[in-house]
């Protein structure tokens, strides 16, 4: 599961940065990403990881499963360094170590237990959360750079967190019919699609590590709290302090990663504009043409001659006369005082 999510993050980030930057909260980005084979392979890995996580949520507490999902961030960073030659700052490497330390503490503190079912209030809460995340994403998509990665990644984490909350009791369905008729299934799908869109937008705007770290933090903490309060998630007796330390270490690591992470995929801010090649035209010389008849003009500027730089020839009543334009050469003539 950890490896599957790590590979998925890496491949989806590559596809996202090779796609035209999306400036609106519109599912059209997912359609564009679906045209990239790299993204489809990454999506397949993410689905495989999701299936494994779904099966694990049947008996394991959410904070343990979400911590395992977050561990994919380290796999993404390592693969990025080895395959794509990413350069991670030393501070970021240390924070990745702290992240794994926090996850390890959570793993040791988790106690397996069956899930409790959500009632009508839980369904309403998940529906409201879906609308809230989508609304915030509509405004957060206007952010760029590291703030955009962190904001959109955090919202993606909230969407995936709600999907995890829906998946925990759904995994305990007694039959296929009950599974398909459960409203939690469709809430899970809706939250997953919104989270996938937000994650793609986050990866387009800056560091993949920052985007995924923010997503994992925002996804792990709310799911863990809801699981402990409503879904019968358990902690081994006497290890509550270990769970607290693990959560604190994870949060510090994620905040640090979003602070130090720099964009790893560089996209030109604007395409270089080249001047179009204009045809050379001959302007017949007039009565006042100092350069003589037949002067060659490119883009309205006559070619340089011993007579100096001259501007475009402007027609007059008696023919063409030279119009001196200092701006035509792009250079500023020095000013002298008499």
């Amino acid at each position: 599961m950890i490896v599957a999510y790590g590979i998925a993050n890496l491949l989806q980030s590559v596809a996202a940065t090779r796609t035209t930057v999306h400036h609106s909260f519109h599912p059209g980005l997912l359609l564009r990403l679906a045209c990239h084979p790299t993204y489809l392979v990454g999506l397949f890995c993410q689905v495989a990881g999701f299936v494994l996580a779904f099966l694990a949520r049947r008996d394991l507490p959410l904070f343990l499963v979400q911590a395992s999902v977050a561990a994919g961030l380290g796999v993404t960073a390592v693969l990025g360094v080895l395959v794509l030659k990413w350069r991670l700052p030393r501070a970021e490497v240390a924070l990745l170590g702290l992240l794994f330390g926090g996850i390890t503490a959570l793993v040791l503190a988790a106690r397996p237990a069956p899930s409790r079912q959500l009632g009508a209030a839980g369904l309403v809460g998940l529906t409201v959360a879906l609308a809230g995340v989508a609304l915030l994403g509509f405004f957060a998509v206007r952010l760029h750079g590291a703030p955009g990665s962190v904001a959109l990644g955090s919202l993606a984490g909230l969407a995936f967190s709600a999907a995890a909350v829906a998946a925990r009791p759904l995994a305990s369905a007694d039959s296929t019919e009950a599974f398909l008729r459960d409203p939690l299934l469709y809430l899970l799908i809706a939250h997953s699609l919104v989270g996938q869109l937000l994650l793609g937008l986050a990866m387009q705007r800056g560091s993949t590590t920052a985007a995924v770290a923010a997503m994992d933090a925002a996804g792990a903490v709310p799911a863990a709290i809801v699981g402990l309060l409503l879904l019968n998630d358990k902690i081994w007796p006497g290890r509550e302090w270990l769970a607290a330390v693990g959560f604190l270490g994870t949060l510090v690591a994620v905040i640090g990663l979003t602070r130090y992470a720099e964009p790893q995929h560089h996209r030109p801010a604007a395409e270089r504009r080249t001047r179009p090649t204009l045809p050379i035209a001959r302007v017949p010389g007039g009565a006042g043409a100092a350069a003589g008849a037949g002067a060659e003009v490119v883009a309205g500027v006559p070619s340089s001659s011993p007579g100096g730089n001259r501007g475009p020839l402007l027609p007059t009543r008696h023919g063409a006369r030279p119009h001196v334009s200092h701006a035509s050469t792009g250079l500023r003539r020095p000013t002298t005082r008499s």
Side-chain angles (χ1 to χ4, degrees), residues 73 95 99 213-218 249-259:
L73 175 65
L95 289 169
L99 176 63
M215 177 190 69
D216 288 334
T250 301
L251 289 178
V252 170
V254 168
I255 293 173
L257 285 172
T258 57
R259 170 64 178 84

Side-chain angles (χ1 to χ4, degrees), residues 211-254:
V212 178
M215 177 190 69
D216 288 334
V221 176
I225 295 175
V226 173
L228 290 171
L229 296 178
L230 301 177
L231 300 179
N232 197 38
D233 288 0
K234 300 291 185 181
I235 300 175
W236 287 107
R239 297 184 184 180
E240 291 81 4
W241 65 272
L242 189 59
V245 170
F247 264 110
L248 180 61
T250 301
L251 289 178
V252 170
V254 168

Side-chain angles (χ1 to χ4, degrees), residues 81-170:
V81 172
L82 296 178
V83 178
L84 300 180
K85 308 301 180 183
W86 288 354
R87 295 182 179 180
L88 299 182
R90 293 181 179 179
E92 199 170 38
V93 175
L95 289 169
L96 281 173
L98 179 60
L99 176 63
F100 279 113
I103 291 171
T104 302
L106 293 176
V107 170
L108 295 175
R111 178 184 177 183
S115 174
R116 184 184 298 119
Q117 294 298 317
L118 284 174
L123 295 176
V124 172
L126 289 175
T127 304
V128 172
L130 177 63
V133 169
L135 180 62
L136 292 175
F138 178 81
F139 293 101
V141 75
R142 303 177 184 179
L143 300 176
H144 302 282
S149 291
V150 174
L152 292 168
S154 299
L155 290 174
L158 292 177
F160 287 131
S161 179
V165 171
R168 174 88 159 107
L170 182 63

Side-chain angles (χ1 to χ4, degrees), residues 58 117 169-180 182:
R58 180 169 185 172
Q117 294 298 317
L170 182 63
S172 301
D174 298 332
S175 63
T176 303
E177 182 181 358
F179 178 83
L180 295 176
D182 198 325

